[in-house]
Amino acid sequence: MQQFDTRPLVRQVNYDADVTSHVAPQSKSDHVAFAFVKLLRFFADTFFARRYGHRAVVLETVAAVPGMVGGLLQHLRALRRMRDDEGWIRTLLDEAENERMHLMTFIEIAKPNAFERFLILSVQLVFYNFYFFLYLLAPRTAHRVVGYFEEEAVISYTAYLKEVESGRHENVPAPQIAIDYWQLHSDARLSDVIIAVRADEAEHRDVNHCFVDRIDERRDGTRAKRRKLGEA
């Protein structure tokens, strides 16, 4: 009988992650992506205010969607073109898995109520379909949206950390799932979890902005080839 690998997932915390990086929008699609994310930020701030744990539960549900959608569509693209994906699929699926672990961690901390669970279902339904078609039609903009979304996540977790360190939020013990996943000390607290999650978000921010650069390079290369063919 086939045995499945049931070993727990593990991840190293990047304590040197840059938590201040920002990519200024340049193109029209960048400005659209930035404005869209800022609109989402406005609604999140209005609804959750300083209930950062509950905010994390809902938003991590959204954050886990892009990697899975991108991985799926990149997989299909690689099959259609019968060529290597250059590591995009693995990276995107790892991002989705990582965001899911964020969600599982904050469920242990925030204990979402029935309304928030309903909100999660509703938001996921809407956002999945929105992001699927966005990635299908405009993958560059889709990655830029995620890059800016992760920038906002870093800002939110930095604010959450300050609330905990100032004593306005109780620095409760870290859930066991977080200790196992990030290989934290057995006496780790909520502040340690926030630092680990924030580092992950900073990594996703940089990766998605890098994907935009790669798409631009491909397009520039394609245009250059077309110009050469036209001159020939």
Side-chain angles (χ1 to χ4, degrees), residues 99-111:
E99 298 288 8
R100 186 183 68 83
M101 292 302 293
H102 293 178
L103 173 65
M104 301 306 294
T105 295
F106 281 106
I107 284 175
E108 296 292 324
I109 294 170
K111 306 294 184 184

Side-chain angles (χ1 to χ4, degrees), residues 137-156:
L137 301 173
R140 184 190 186 281
T141 304
H143 281 297
R144 191 65 93 192
V145 164
V146 178
Y148 286 138
F149 187 86
E150 300 294 4
E151 286 186 13
E152 295 298 327
V154 171
I155 293 170
S156 293

Side-chain angles (χ1 to χ4, degrees), residues 11 13 98 102 105 178-184 193 196-197 200:
R11 191 178 185 90
V13 181
N98 178 242
H102 293 178
T105 295
I179 292 173
D180 294 339
Y181 181 59
W182 284 287
Q183 304 174 74
L184 304 175
V193 174
V197 172
D200 290 347

Side-chain angles (χ1 to χ4, degrees), residues 108-127:
E108 296 292 324
I109 294 170
K111 306 294 184 184
N113 56 38
F115 175 75
E116 287 167 339
R117 290 180 181 274
F118 171 76
L119 184 62
I120 287 169
L121 293 174
S122 302
V123 170
Q124 185 184 86
L125 176 64
V126 173
F127 187 75

